[in-house]
Amino acid sequence: MQIAIIGLGRMGGNIARRLMAHGHECLVFDRNREAVSGLQGEGARGASSLQELAGLFAGRRVFWVMLPAGEPTEATIRELAGIAAPGDVVIDGGNTFYKDDIRRARELEPRGIHYVDVGTSGGVWGLERGYCMMIGGPEDTVRELDPVFDALAPGYGDIERTTGRDAPDDRAERGYIHAGPAGAGHFVKMVHNGIEYGLMQAYAEGFDILKTKNSEHLPAEERFDLNLPDIAEVWRRGSVISSWLLDLTAIALAGDRNLQHFSGNVADSGEGRWTLEAAMEEAVPVNVLSAALYARYRSRQDATFGDKLLSAMRYGFGGHVEIPQ
Amino acid sequence: MQIAIIGLGRMGGNIARRLMAHGHECLVFDRNREAVSGLQGEGARGASSLQELAGLFAGRRVFWVMLPAGEPTEATIRELAGIAAPGDVVIDGGNTFYKDDIRRARELEPRGIHYVDVGTSGGVWGLERGYCMMIGGPEDTVRELDPVFDALAPGYGDIERTTGRDAPDDRAERGYIHAGPAGAGHFVKMVHNGIEYGLMQAYAEGFDILKTKNSEHLPAEERFDLNLPDIAEVWRRGSVISSWLLDLTAIALAGDRNLQHFSGNVADSGEGRWTLEAAMEEAVPVNVLSAALYARYRSRQDATFGDKLLSAMRYGFGGHVEIPQ
Amino acid sequence: MQIAIIGLGRMGGNIARRLMAHGHECLVFDRNREAVSGLQGEGARGASSLQELAGLFAGRRVFWVMLPAGEPTEATIRELAGIAAPGDVVIDGGNTFYKDDIRRARELEPRGIHYVDVGTSGGVWGLERGYCMMIGGPEDTVRELDPVFDALAPGYGDIERTTGRDAPDDRAERGYIHAGPAGAGHFVKMVHNGIEYGLMQAYAEGFDILKTKNSEHLPAEERFDLNLPDIAEVWRRGSVISSWLLDLTAIALAGDRNLQHFSGNVADSGEGRWTLEAAMEEAVPVNVLSAALYARYRSRQDATFGDKLLSAMRYGFGGHVEIPQ
Amino acid sequence: MQIAIIGLGRMGGNIARRLMAHGHECLVFDRNREAVSGLQGEGARGASSLQELAGLFAGRRVFWVMLPAGEPTEATIRELAGIAAPGDVVIDGGNTFYKDDIRRARELEPRGIHYVDVGTSGGVWGLERGYCMMIGGPEDTVRELDPVFDALAPGYGDIERTTGRDAPDDRAERGYIHAGPAGAGHFVKMVHNGIEYGLMQAYAEGFDILKTKNSEHLPAEERFDLNLPDIAEVWRRGSVISSWLLDLTAIALAGDRNLQHFSGNVADSGEGRWTLEAAMEEAVPVNVLSAALYARYRSRQDATFGDKLLSAMRYGFGGHVEIPQ
């Protein structure tokens, strides 16, 4: 299938590569000319503008936008809306807020342009392992794109089949789902990332307890000398908490057991926050997901104003002076 | 009443002063000789050892221990156990873990020594405002000490009477309660401090939001220029969140609106932690009290190992590099 | 001053009463005719439509809208926008989201209508105690309305002056502040309510620990028989955690020590949620404020789907069967 | 190797089976005679008392105690201490608090009895998949028991090797580690379970958001019709959050998409609580692990006293009446 990939960063470039490897014809565009020529060298056809990109199609056009969420994606889709013809498809494969998908689909529908949102998980490993995709959009359009999704997805692989599973639609088992109408794909991906934050923080807190148990700040008789790389490794086998994130933890600790190459200033993208907002719209209590997000905020700060206010109150009622440690 | 005060720090010294101001005779001891002579200059009788202190009593001895919780208090009470005679009273007015009170009472009871635990709130303001006391111990002994507690407590003052209150025992309204047998006093004080942590953190987080709303890190059009001293001040009047901690906040902000004199390395004493342990023994969910304690732990650290592990995982699955900010 | 009050519920009615008691002339409107005639009997002039209400003014019109946030307020202000003349003032005294204030002010400004947002705290006690007000809007307009705010505010009262306070503007000490441009008033009020949730939950968790310590579910030797009304009462005097919310707690427990008249299905209004959203926009960690909101969500549910999923996983890996208790 | 298994419940029975399948000779005891005769039928030698069990050994005795933590384990080890001879080994394979291990090792050491603690993960799947084991105890003893641990562990299996791993000790890769001296095994297992709670709750909250997005309580235009079994399934493939717990979730949802067979009254064992206590001893902030534990407490309750107190305060300041939903 002919498909245009717009945005050739880490994700977009690898998506183009994986599609080409499965026999699809990729038309590519990026504001960065070198990214375009790089992909051209791997077999893609490049364009120097969206307009030119549109002209490369033989028939119905399918644009896969893979850009940072927010204005970069928004502006590109606005421009595509002016270029696309009825029957064309615009796919947002980035990390867009699902309500923006709903709005865009409503705007594009009267002009006959089909809007599809794809939440894509897999990171830098997707090229090799395949991408897990959560898709929103019109039933027919999603069906027509099946060869694309099938190429990008991991497929059955050697993952053990879920006991009791008996569903006629095997797409989930091949690594992608049609989650519902526009927005549903990014909604499911958003919650996926919310869970991801929670899982990561659970491991982070646990390993922090293990690491601190070795610390010289504890009295000698309370200390252990725990081997963190071995602990991560052993939990990968037969334990209840084995996971891919644990595999990555084991890799990180194998190479740098004190993680001294990492700053610990942890970024967060929109999904963590949107997940909390969704939870609040539904009145679902989400203490773990919130705590995971806030830990990232806190990681990027020195003493907060709130901390100082605690010091000030303690001084106020008890004469306590907090000495910096 | 003759009463010995052991430990003449900020709390102990003021307790002696307030008792003397109400006509009680204070016998005082501290390892620090200057503290003793200071109080002597204010009318107390000083001793240079616990043994000597015991000898100053004309009749039944009442020892009020006002030392840091843990070994200092424990060692002193152990020594007093060897000195005291049947009928004597040992009071622990510090911040002892309530299970230690229960154990001590059991140890002292067979020897006829009455053990009383007093959770004392009021900080540096207690000398003037009076102390709020939560008392555990034998009914008779607590009753006999009534003149002491009455002198230390704030009394009715000009606090409005609680609508609908109709209890024969007016001690709570005078500022102290007999909470139950040994340990009950410190148990109630422990929960008091747990709540205190939660209240403080609620204010801290709220003021942090206000302060950050003024921050240059926000886009100009999202910023306000909020006057924090005025906000604290106005909330003291007619608002639902007026409190003594808010009064202290207003004082702190009036003097230093950026709280730049405070480090924000916030200490915690045992009560916060014991409150969580008590909650866990009872299976009571306490997300707020926990978060308040953990905020203090975090305030004393730079990047945690857990934060670094998050960075490491993010690098692992997404190639994200966390740059220190 | 002539002022119209629109919405004569618990808050609006008492605001009208307090204004009249301070010599202001109140013109009132409510969809509920009985509410209007009730206030007429207390000296207000009533109207049966906003149009008629506008006609009652002798000069510049000041409309104080005191309706539920969201559509009721929005629709009323939209209608007032069509009625008001340049120079008139529209005040929203309800619990509006501050970004709606910013939008409305922008819409009304070109037409010369001045928009003022007033966050109002004080609840059913405001009539007697006065209201704490946080005000956003144009400097001049807020100044011109000073007689209104002064009448509604508690005034100096007998609250002790904040040590070190030395600000030329004494409005905060009289119970109201001009927090900034449109939206600033409701922003501060929003954070106020966020803090309120946190404070309330801190007390709730603490009293839950105390109450459960009396429970027959604990082994007899671990149990106390704590008197909760007395504990609330004693904490009102000289303790670090005295507050108005504690006063209310003492009243509630004095009348019903087991709180058996309360369902525990706790509602939440928009402010709790908006406070978290504001914190997320600022990347401020707010574990306590979040936990307080989520406790309310949880209080309104039986077993969540999440709980069931925990049961299902436990069954999956351990064969554990969770029996309803 | 000859080894005695004491306690033939779900875990102990399967451990005996797996050991026998690997050629070890199992001597078994349980207070439940049927459990003993069952295992006898599978090739074990049974005993009707610990004394008799000890007599079945040809040489050095190795006792693996696999009983519920607390008194059942404690009493058995106390009895074994009277039976065992110098050089014998007592293994506690249950979920004991690690400080109890440290105490027991100190008590048994002077008598020449070697104490080994084994944290064992794997649940009902361990018989087939093998057990992940975290071991504390003397270096020599743990080495001598290697054939036992090797038989129980999963072994290399087909799990991909950790990139960069380069450790001479391959035991972690075979599924067990010697974590340190007595107590270290159960300490690591305790943290493992703490993490497990956090992971489970992260999934629970995420799926709760997904499920509630389908709910009729939402306005129709905000609702999706998400297929939860498919979502769990697709996340198993190529997503960042794939894990064994997610596999179990997929199985549970495949069989019962509304989880209507589960009560949602979620039990917790000691490890969750002990993990928090360990964190507090180390001053490590653990908001996620705490929230996960507290969610379980809350799941077992109807309205808490704390919830009722919130209702009572809301009534107090706002006249709000909370109606049960």
Side-chain angles (χ1 to χ4, degrees), chain B residues 231-313:
Chain B
I231 291 172
E233 189 63 41
V234 79
W235 286 348
R236 297 180 65 221
R237 295 164 196 273
S239 106
V240 170
I241 64 172
S242 61
S243 71
W244 191 55
L245 286 164
L246 182 64
D247 295 345
L248 297 176
T249 297
I251 293 170
L253 290 168
D256 174 7
R257 72 172 55 204
N258 295 313
L259 300 178
Q260 58 202 5
H261 295 102
F262 295 95
S263 70
N265 292 276
V266 190
D268 67 281
S269 56
E271 285 98 342
R273 173 182 156 190
W274 299 331
T275 302
L276 301 201
E277 291 181 353
M280 289 192 285
E281 289 182 6
E282 301 176 7
V284 171
V286 287
N287 282 295
V288 160
L289 305 191
S290 299
L293 179 63
Y294 300 155
R296 296 184 173 205
Y297 292 163
R298 186 63 185 77
S299 79
R300 306 197 302 256
Q301 293 189 284
D302 292 328
T304 66
F305 188 75
D307 294 339
K308 293 184 181 195
L309 185 58
L310 295 179
S311 286
M313 282 192 263

Side-chain angles (χ1 to χ4, degrees), chain C residues 156-193:
Chain C
Y156 283 105
D158 54 1
I159 293 175
E160 203 169 344
R161 198 158 191 230
T162 295
T163 311
R165 183 161 175 92
D166 179 26
D169 185 347
D170 78 336
R171 288 181 290 180
E173 291 177 273
R174 286 187 283 123
Y176 60 105
I177 56 168
H178 180 210
H186 278 139
F187 185 87
V188 175
K189 173 57 161 50
M190 174 193 79
V191 175
H192 168 281
N193 283 31

Side-chain angles (χ1 to χ4, degrees), chain D residues 126-200:
Chain D
L127 175 57
E128 179 191 342
R129 300 202 322 167
Y131 298 93
C132 175
M133 286 167 292
M134 296 138 263
I135 306 161
E139 179 69 30
D140 291 352
T141 310
V142 173
R143 284 278 172 207
E144 288 157 19
L145 294 169
D146 203 70
V148 166
F149 298 130
D150 190 59
L152 289 175
Y156 283 105
D158 54 2
I159 292 176
E160 204 170 343
R161 202 164 187 225
T162 295
T163 312
R165 184 161 173 91
D166 179 28
D169 185 346
D170 78 337
R171 288 180 291 181
E173 292 177 273
R174 286 187 282 123
Y176 59 105
I177 57 169
H178 180 210
H186 278 139
F187 185 87
V188 175
K189 174 57 162 48
M190 172 193 81
V191 175
H192 168 282
N193 283 31
I195 293 172
E196 174 189 311
Y197 282 29
L199 301 179
M200 287 173 73

Side-chain angles (χ1 to χ4, degrees), chain D residues 289-300:
Chain D
L289 305 191
S290 299
L293 180 62
Y294 300 155
R296 294 184 175 204
Y297 292 163
R298 186 63 184 80
S299 79
R300 305 197 302 258

Side-chain angles (χ1 to χ4, degrees), chain B residues 21 36-37 48 60 67 82 91 116 127 148 157 173 176 191 203 214 255:
Chain B
V36 173
S37 56
S48 59
R60 191 253 290 263
L67 290 167
I91 301 169
V116 172
L127 175 57
V148 167
E173 291 176 274
Y176 59 106
V191 175
Y203 286 117
N214 294 351

Side-chain angles (χ1 to χ4, degrees), chain A residues 240 273 276-277 279-281 283-287 290-291 293-294 297-298 300-301 317, chain C residues 240 273 276-277 279-281 283-287 290-291 293-294 297-298 300-301 317:
Chain A
V240 170
R273 172 182 156 189
L276 301 202
E277 291 180 353
M280 289 192 283
E281 289 182 7
V284 170
V286 287
N287 281 296
S290 299
L293 179 63
Y294 300 156
Y297 292 162
R298 186 62 185 79
R300 306 197 301 256
Q301 293 189 284
F317 65 70
Chain C
V240 170
R273 173 182 156 190
L276 302 201
E277 290 181 353
M280 289 192 283
E281 288 181 8
V284 171
V286 287
N287 282 296
S290 299
L293 179 63
Y294 301 156
Y297 292 162
R298 186 62 185 78
R300 305 197 301 257
Q301 294 189 284
F317 65 70

Side-chain angles (χ1 to χ4, degrees), chain D residues 237-259:
Chain D
R237 297 168 192 268
S239 108
V240 171
I241 64 173
S242 60
S243 71
W244 191 55
L245 285 166
L246 181 65
D247 295 346
L248 297 177
T249 297
I251 293 171
L253 290 169
D256 174 8
R257 72 173 53 206
N258 295 312
L259 300 178

